[in-house]
Amino acid sequence: MAIPTTTVLVVEDEDSFIDALTVGLAREGFRVQVARDGAQALDLFDIVQPDLVLLDVMLPKVSGIDVCRELRSRSKVPIIMVTAKASEIDTVVGLEVGADDYVSKPYRLRELVARMRAVLRRVPAAVPVGASGGGEALTVGDVALDPDRHEVVIRGEEVSLPLKEFELLTILLENAGRVLPREVLIDRVWGHDYVGDTKTLDVHVKRLRAKVEPDPAAPTRIVTIRGLGYKYEMPKAARV
């Protein structure tokens, strides 16, 4: 069972899905709050302060994509997009604006709950004031990352990263110069029980490149090792 205090903001305008989710998620131990359009979702978000947002793409008033973009600009809360179409454009756009995962309608409640729990497990616990989170600051070239403060500085400017991008960059920097297989990255960032599409990793890498690379179209830092995975290249001056 999920922790009873875990609150999910369900943003959905179809009554049949609302009814099924309200009953099904409550049985799994979640507290459910419902917004029936994008505008209401934005209004309720600060009031409800959910632990996770289940966000439909097609919504009245404000689209799910725009809601996701707005929520991500002010919060790192996990967001799972729901789309009625399994086309790549829907899923890629959703991930590019900050969603952590996606599901396609129709979906099975068991699969949805598994994804929700996997995403929630990746949210770091709050560190008490005065305590140390134990993570060491990382600096590779002109990229500096502080795990405890969840801060990233790129070429002297602080950059805000969603949770999954932050975790992915952390792993890449920790292993700078080493090839990391796709399976290892997915396991470390999304969990060994992740049941989503593996292209989620590629989308997150693309988003990171847009922030880390001087020229994202010709990446020289987060490089693809064809057939294996990805590697964060060490600066030339730091190579032995």
Side-chain angles (χ1 to χ4, degrees), residues 20-99:
L21 285 171
T22 301
V23 173
L25 294 181
R27 286 177 178 170
E28 294 291 334
F30 294 96
R31 178 184 298 134
V32 180
Q33 296 286 337
V34 177
R36 293 176 176 271
D37 60 59
Q40 186 181 25
L42 294 174
D43 290 339
L44 280 179
F45 182 79
D46 293 326
I47 299 172
V48 173
Q49 296 186 339
D51 300 289
L52 183 147
V53 178
L54 192 60
L55 178 62
D56 192 51
V57 172
M58 302 298 293
L59 292 169
K61 298 184 179 179
V62 181
S63 75
I65 296 296
D66 289 334
V67 171
C68 183
R69 184 181 290 109
E70 171 61 25
L71 293 183
R72 188 54 74 230
S73 71
R74 51 179 157 136
S75 173
K76 294 180 175 65
V77 66
I79 299 173
I80 297 179
M81 303 289 290
V82 180
T83 174
K85 297 180 293 183
S87 63
E88 183 176 358
I89 187 63
D90 287 331
T91 57
V92 168
V93 170
L95 293 170
E96 286 186 339
V97 296

Side-chain angles (χ1 to χ4, degrees), residues 8 10 38 55 91 104 124 145 148 152 155 223:
V8 180
V10 173
L55 178 62
T91 57
S104 300
L145 181 148
D148 290 347
V152 177
R155 292 183 283 281
V223 298

